[in-house]
């Protein structure tokens, strides 16, 4: 028997965590409603310029297009897109092409910033560096964070929106909890203006309450093109383990990811009061517990350049 939505139409999706069967129309509306609720909670966003971190993958495409639909009638609030080019010849160029197509269609300015330009390295060169070849994602992660901030700054952004979905956020929360890394927990976005050091663009995460499968289904149902290739250097085994663990917990107890996020949202204000011990890295200005941050240490260890964040 065909499963049906409460409106009587055939279901396209079963949300196990709530027991709801949703037809196409109600599924689309349900995602939009939750994104709008997040934006209200993370905002208000009435004026300024939001830079969207746009890789061309499903999460970033959905973020860009939903923000565009949400704010298009507000002339005081502009969007820009920023794309990081890691220098991975077999992987990144097609996704930059997809990103550029969306920006062209929506008439949104698009800034592409490469690791080569900011740090003098590419991931293709870095993975063959004798001392560094075994942990590409650790380097790539710190370089990406830096480039996204720099690109957002270049386009004059007041906020930087990333496409992190509920699965991404729940994995990071679990990882930081299990490592006892309270400082990192305290620094996780979304941020409000004034919650980050000068020169850093506060992050917002419009999709943080939407499970990854729902983001993918939403993009498919809306007919939005996205890039879903896999990076040849993907080997972040730690995150993979947390991903598996969470999927297993979710299977046994639907709603686990939502509960983790809701618990964190209650704790976050207390954690932020505690986590006041950071200072600006002397080389780049990113938050750091020592004189120089991890990113700058990693970059100089492979012969790259560190780059100061301009102070606001
Ligand atoms: Fe960078 Fe790792 Fe992502 Fe590849 S999988 S883009 S190396 S972080
Ligand atoms: Zn630094």
């Amino acid at each position: 028997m065909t499963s049906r939505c409460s409106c009587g139409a055939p279901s396209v999706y079963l949300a196990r965590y709530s027991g709801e069967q949703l037809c196409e129309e109600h599924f689309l509306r349900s995602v939009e409603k939750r994104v709008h609720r997040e934006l209200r909670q993370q905002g208000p966003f009435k004026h300024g310029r939001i830079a969207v971190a746009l890789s061309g993958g499903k999460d970033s495409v959905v973020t860009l297009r939903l923000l565009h639909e949400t704010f298009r009638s507000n002339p005081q609030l502009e969007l820009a897109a920023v794309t990081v080019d890691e220098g991975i010849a077999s992987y990144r160029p097609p996704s930059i092409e997809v990103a550029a197509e969306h920006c062209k269609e929506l008439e949104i300015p698009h800034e592409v910033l490469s690791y080569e330009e900011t740090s003098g390295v590419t991931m293709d060169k870095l993975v063959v560096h004798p001392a560094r070849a075994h942990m590409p994602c650790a380097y790539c992660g710190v370089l990406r964070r830096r480039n996204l901030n720099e690109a957002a700054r270049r386009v004059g952004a007041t906020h930087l929106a990333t496409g992190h979905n509920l699965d991404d956020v729940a994995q990071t929360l679990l990882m930081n909890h299990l490592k006892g890394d309270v400082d990192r927990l305290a620094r996780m976005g979304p941020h409000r203006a004034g919650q980050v050091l000068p020169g850093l663009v506060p992050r917002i995460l419009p999709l943080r309450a939407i499970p990854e499968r729902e983001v993918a289904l939403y993009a498919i149902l809306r007919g939005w093109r996205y890039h879903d290739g896999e990076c040849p250097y993907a080997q972040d085994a730690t995150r993979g383990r947390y991903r598996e663990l969470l999927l297993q917990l979710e299977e046994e107890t639907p709603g686990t990811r939502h509960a983790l996020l809701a618990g964190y949202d209650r704790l976050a204000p207390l954690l932020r009061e505690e986590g006041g011990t950071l200072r600006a890295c002397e080389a780049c200005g990113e938050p750091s517990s020592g004189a120089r941050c991890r990113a700058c240490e990693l970059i100089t260890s492979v012969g790259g350049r560190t780059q100061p964040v301009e102070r606001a």
Side-chain angles (χ1 to χ4, degrees), residues 67-129:
L67 289 184
H68 174 72
E69 285 176 12
T70 306
F71 297 124
R72 65 199 295 182
S73 58
N74 177 358
Q76 314 249 48
L77 190 66
E78 295 175 344
L79 290 185
V82 293
T83 299
V84 171
D85 181 357
E86 300 92 344
I88 305 174
S90 62
Y91 168 64
R92 190 48 78 202
S95 84
I96 294 181
E97 203 182 297
V98 172
E101 270 174 28
H102 284 284
C103 292
K104 191 168 169 211
E105 184 193 332
L106 304 176
E107 298 182 358
I108 291 174
H110 186 204
E111 169 94 10
V112 180
L113 188 57
S114 68
Y115 291 175
E116 179 86 67
E117 182 181 338
T118 53
S119 306
V121 296
T122 66
M123 286 308 293
D124 283 339
K125 280 188 208 150
L126 209 140
V127 290
V128 294
H129 191 286

Side-chain angles (χ1 to χ4, degrees), residues 146 281 284 293 296:
R146 158 171 310 195
C281 164
C284 74
C293 73
C296 287

Side-chain angles (χ1 to χ4, degrees), residues 146 281-286 288 291-297 306:
R146 158 171 310 195
C281 164
E282 65 186 20
C284 74
E286 292 263 2
S288 170
R292 279 165 82 91
C293 73
R294 179 94 180 117
C296 287
E297 280 171 12
T306 62

Side-chain angles (χ1 to χ4, degrees), residues 5 22 28 95-97 115 128 138 144 147 172 217 224 242 280:
C5 177
L22 294 164
L28 293 173
S95 84
I96 294 181
E97 203 182 297
Y115 291 175
V128 294
R144 176 178 303 107
N147 269 33
T172 308
L217 180 59
W224 291 338
Y242 285 103

